[in-house]
Amino acid sequence: MTDVLGVLVIARNGDRTEYYQDPKTYESSYTESTALGAAESHQLGSFLRSTYMSSSSPSYIADMKTDLVDTHEVHVHAKAGGEGTVIFDSAIALLQGLFPPNPANKIVLANETTVVAPLGGYQYVPIETVEPGNDKSLEPWTDCPAFEQHISNVYSSSEFKKTAKAAEPFYGAVRDYVFGRPTTLENAWNIHDYISTELSHNKTYAHRLPPTLVEQARGFADFHENAVFSDKDVGGIGNLAGRTILHTVLSSLQRIAFNGDPLQFLLIETSYQPFISLFHMLEMVKESPEIAGIPNYASALAFELRRGPAPEDRDFIRIKFKNGTNGDFETYHAFGHKSDIAATEFIYRIENYAITSQKQWAAACSSGLDDDWLHIGSQNAISSTVFAILAAVFLLGMFVLSKFVKSARAKAQNTRIRLADDEVSQSNPPQSQYPNYGTLSNVGPGIAPF
């Protein structure tokens, strides 16, 4: 009997076309998915299925429905900003591998006709897209002045300048293969992304590119992104990508641990930045410095919630990372532990660094915003405050409309056309002049008929 109670998986998107990011602000360009990217994500989904949904696996989640998806047990979040379209496509492909078509996905109609879902029983798993305009949990670094200042500080640091000096021969050699793109260490992400994308998709380019250039480009890009999306201080602005996603990680693990909550599998499909920050925040890079950099396409970081061995009654967290489509999960340890960490300790040591609301994000970014109606990682970003405001506006509109209607009726009364020989007197005739139409026999005194 397995001791895995549930798992949270953070997955990176699969292959795509070239993706430009501004070196100073990280504002980005449009990009599209490729068939290779879909295949990579599908392969990751199949791997996760064999790991957590196969009864022969040591990480099998025993109480989870594995043939037909139960949407109470499985939740999926997908980043919508930046590479959003690619990330959503990757989530779809991953879910196709995680819950493949099943002929049992069918319905029997009242006339006893059996209808199987399309494509041999395709399973439609709901995906909640995380829009950065409403929820900053998966893309907090854009429109963040403090993060832009952090980037500037990285570029002006002595370590960055030293590395930039060492990189000059490489950027001189690669200039003829990037066609006008700035060949500087500040632009390391875009240089590497262009070279690696062309190397995968352009046969002519692949034949002409000299050996080792793509490896060197990757090395400098790793250095660049690792410096930008990390911080010496766990709660520093450089770790912003990890601090905002952390709220979803912790709250989901708490939900999985609670027996009354059906959640057992949460997938967060996103880009590479949170991986880097979390590796530093959890001190995983101290034990394994080789993971300090950009994770490959279709990488996965898993937080398994496990029941401790008897007579232990506590829950523990095991962290696993799979870098790309090759190989298996490898286990990593947080905060210098040599084994799984108690869930209570894990939460205690990291929860104070999580950013849980728009107000906290604005304070960290020094953006001057003070609205607290957008909650990081929440299912419903709009709070009751917004509904109260909308209700007030609606009631005010109804009040104004009623005044207008009364005014219009009064004006119509005063301008009514009178027929010839009209004997209608003043607007307020004595009571005796009103015709008497009688009374209802079954209505007693003091009760008005309706």
Side-chain angles (χ1 to χ4, degrees):
M1 190 71 173
T2 182
D3 58 354
V4 177
L5 305 177
V7 64
L8 179 144
V9 177
I10 302 174
R12 191 192 171 192
N13 57 277
D15 180 73
R16 43 148 180 77
T17 58
E18 183 186 4
Y19 179 59
Y20 173 83
Q21 296 184 105
D22 188 300
K24 296 181 179 180
T25 65
Y26 275 75
E27 294 293 333
S28 56
S29 67
Y30 179 75
T31 183
E32 292 181 334
S33 304
T34 66
L36 172 60
E40 290 170 337
S41 295
H42 184 273
Q43 181 179 341
L44 175 59
S46 299
F47 170 80
L48 293 174
R49 179 173 179 81
S50 65
T51 301
Y52 296 112
M53 301 181 191
S54 172
S55 58
S56 61
S57 170
S59 297
Y60 175 54
I61 305 174
D63 296 331
M64 185 175 172
K65 298 180 178 67
T66 58
D67 292 330
L68 294 179
V69 62
D70 183 337
T71 55
H72 296 95
E73 297 177 343
V74 178
H75 291 177
V76 182
H77 298 174
K79 174 185 168 184
E83 299 167 275
T85 55
V86 171
I87 292 170
F88 184 84
D89 293 345
S90 295
I92 292 289
L94 189 154
L95 290 170
Q96 289 173 342
L98 188 65
F99 290 100
N102 190 325
N105 186 18
K106 61 186 178 181
I107 186 173
V108 179
L109 304 181
N111 62 3
E112 299 184 356
T113 300
T114 299
V115 178
V116 178
L119 304 176
Y122 186 93
Q123 302 195 57
Y124 299 86
V125 183
I127 299 176
E128 179 184 347
T129 56
V130 180
E131 304 282 347
N134 298 331
D135 184 336
K136 286 291 186 179
S137 61
L138 298 185
E139 192 175 302
W141 53 86
T142 55
D143 301 318
C144 180
F147 193 80
E148 292 179 18
Q149 182 60 49
H150 164 73
I151 297 173
S152 178
N153 293 342
V154 169
Y155 293 165
S156 61
S157 68
S158 58
E159 183 180 5
F160 191 90
K161 290 180 178 179
K162 180 181 178 180
T163 305
K165 184 69 175 178
E168 286 179 357
F170 162 73
Y171 285 116
V174 83
R175 185 173 290 113
D176 291 340
Y177 300 94
V178 295
F179 306 102
R181 291 166 177 79
T183 50
T184 62
L185 186 60
E186 287 86 349
N187 203 40
W189 161 267
N190 295 311
I191 294 297
H192 168 258
D193 192 74
Y194 176 76
I195 292 176
S196 61
T197 300
E198 289 297 302
L199 193 61
S200 296
H201 305 154
N202 186 331
K203 182 177 179 179
T204 301
Y205 187 92
H207 285 172
R208 292 179 178 177
L209 186 70
T212 77
L213 285 188
V214 67
E215 290 83 5
Q216 293 181 71
R218 173 61 184 260
F220 289 121
D222 280 340
F223 168 82
H224 184 283
E225 299 306 296
N226 186 62
V228 169
F229 289 98
S230 68
D231 203 293
K232 294 179 180 179
D233 180 6
V234 177
I237 193 67
N239 285 328
L240 190 62
R243 295 178 62 196
T244 53
I245 200 174
L246 191 61
H247 174 61
T248 302
V249 172
L250 297 181
S251 61
S252 299
L253 290 173
Q254 290 172 329
R255 288 185 60 189
I256 293 171
F258 178 54
N259 291 333
D261 195 313
L263 180 64
Q264 292 184 284
F265 190 102
L266 177 69
L267 170 67
I268 303 176
E269 189 79 28
T270 187
S271 50
Y272 68 89
Q273 292 90 343
F275 288 83
I276 299 174
S277 296
L278 289 174
F279 290 160
H280 283 270
M281 294 179 70
L282 302 179
E283 300 180 9
M284 294 164 59
V285 294
K286 290 184 178 181
E287 179 185 283
S288 306
E290 71 277 2
I291 64 174
I294 305 166
N296 294 328
Y297 288 134
S299 291
L301 177 64
F303 296 84
E304 297 177 355
L305 188 68
R306 290 173 167 261
R307 180 59 45 83
E312 182 68 70
D313 60 354
R314 293 185 298 169
D315 294 334
F316 289 80
I317 293 174
R318 180 174 298 176
I319 302 174
K320 294 180 176 180
F321 176 57
K322 182 177 186 295
N323 194 7
T325 54
N326 296 325
D328 202 341
F329 268 138
E330 293 186 20
T331 300
Y332 293 83
H333 303 122
F335 306 119
H337 279 253
K338 300 304 180 183
S339 59
D340 299 344
I341 183 172
T344 51
E345 181 186 350
F346 180 83
I347 294 172
Y348 174 79
R349 295 190 63 163
I350 203 72
E351 65 178 341
N352 289 334
Y353 301 109
I355 293 177
T356 63
S357 70
Q358 180 81 351
K359 187 174 183 179
Q360 289 185 9
W361 171 83
C365 286
S366 304
S367 63
L369 299 177
D370 58 3
D371 295 326
D372 196 22
W373 60 273
L374 296 178
H375 297 282
I376 298 294
S378 64
Q379 296 284 332
N380 186 2
I382 303 179
S383 70
S384 58
T385 303
V386 177
F387 288 110
I389 294 172
L390 294 176
V393 172
F394 174 75
L395 291 175
L396 178 62
M398 293 298 294
F399 175 77
V400 173
L401 180 62
S402 66
K403 289 290 186 183
F404 174 77
V405 171
K406 289 181 179 179
S407 175
R409 286 179 176 174
K411 185 178 292 185
Q413 182 72 20
N414 294 333
T415 58
R416 183 178 296 162
I417 298 176
R418 298 189 177 189
L419 300 176
D421 301 325
D422 190 356
E423 298 299 329
V424 177
S425 60
Q426 300 298 321
S427 59
N428 294 311
Q431 182 69 28
S432 61
Q433 294 185 18
Y434 285 110
N436 183 2
Y437 295 104
T439 59
L440 297 178
S441 59
N442 62 338
V443 177
I447 301 178
F450 58 91

